[in-house]
Amino acid sequence: MPADPSAHGSGETPLRRAADTSRRTAPRPTVHAAGTSAVEVRRSSRRRRTVSAYREGDRTVVLIPARMSEAEERRWVTVMLDKLAAQESKRMLGDGELAARAERLSGQYLDGRARPASVRWVTNQNTRWGSCTPAEGSIRLSHRLQGMPEYVIDYVLLHELAHLLVPGHGPRFWSLLDSYPRTERARGYLEGVVAADRLPHLPAARGE
């Protein structure tokens, strides 16, 4: 999605960011987001336009201007969590990690029944997010997914794993994805990317 000039990720060091808010503002109550680690929002009267976020142990700290509304706070927490996840995904996921991720997702959501022979990134898929060849047990993900949040990559990967078991997009196929808790959020993220003309279309929607 387009970068907001007022948003900043992990460019500053955690120590510098922590100093930015120390002795000026007390941390706001910790907020727990579904499916994520704890999130602590800290407001600073010295911040005017910038929003920053970083990992601190098992929590994520989001630094925002003190004047920001509750609605803006919720929106920016979501934006910054996605941004951090995208940065971490881009650094971490190679073909080997994809294969390990596919095995974990299959075990967690498909009772281990989807067993791909290969899972890899490809650079020749500009009109789809992912594809699979059930006869070969191969799964390919578009390199354009690299850098997106891990839950989005997991959704596309699980989508293709389900195709190893069911070829079409009928009710039986979608029932395999019902247990994945971030399906709608992931699709919403991808729809935003499509709206920004980064990819021509989404994987087939339910009912197609």
Side-chain angles (χ1 to χ4, degrees):
M1 59 178 60
D4 188 312
S6 67
H8 296 274
S10 55
E12 302 173 61
T13 65
L15 287 177
R16 183 177 176 184
R17 280 193 296 264
D20 182 50
T21 57
S22 64
R23 297 186 299 276
R24 291 197 300 274
T25 58
R28 291 177 61 83
T30 298
V31 177
H32 292 276
T36 69
S37 60
V39 178
E40 181 179 309
V41 178
R42 298 176 186 172
R43 290 175 175 258
S44 169
S45 60
R46 292 192 179 184
R47 284 181 176 265
R48 294 289 184 260
R49 296 177 54 83
T50 61
V51 178
S52 301
Y54 62 95
R55 306 293 192 195
E56 187 177 79
D58 61 352
R59 70 177 56 195
T60 301
V61 177
V62 181
L63 309 178
I64 64 175
R67 61 181 175 78
M68 188 172 285
S69 69
E70 294 295 324
E72 289 174 322
E73 174 184 318
R74 289 192 296 270
R75 181 175 74 86
W76 276 109
V77 165
T78 299
V79 168
M80 298 310 291
L81 286 175
D82 281 349
K83 185 173 183 178
L84 283 177
Q87 292 169 346
E88 292 164 356
S89 172
K90 191 171 185 177
R91 289 196 300 268
M92 294 171 58
L93 295 180
D95 288 352
E97 288 81 4
L98 277 184
R101 209 170 191 85
E103 182 178 358
R104 178 182 62 78
L105 289 168
S106 177
Q108 186 172 358
Y109 298 106
L110 303 175
D111 297 323
R113 291 181 293 133
R115 300 176 181 176
S118 65
V119 184
R120 60 192 176 92
W121 296 107
V122 294
T123 59
N124 61 351
Q125 289 190 160
N126 295 321
T127 61
R128 62 178 69 185
W129 297 109
S131 63
C132 73
T133 305
E136 299 175 357
S138 60
I139 289 177
R140 300 164 296 280
L141 297 191
S142 171
H143 73 289
R144 297 193 179 211
L145 286 164
Q146 291 176 328
M148 292 188 188
E150 291 185 3
Y151 73 87
V152 176
I153 296 173
D154 281 355
Y155 165 71
V156 178
L157 188 52
L158 189 60
H159 187 106
E160 300 308 327
L161 285 167
H163 275 312
L164 294 180
L165 304 176
V166 179
H169 289 105
R172 183 167 167 250
F173 171 83
W174 289 109
S175 69
L176 295 176
L177 298 181
D178 282 344
S179 60
Y180 183 61
R182 292 190 168 186
T183 290
E184 294 306 317
R185 184 179 177 189
R187 288 191 58 80
Y189 185 98
L190 294 173
E191 286 168 358
V193 174
V194 171
D197 294 326
R198 294 190 181 183
L199 281 177
H201 62 76
L202 290 169
R206 187 185 296 266
E208 294 183 4

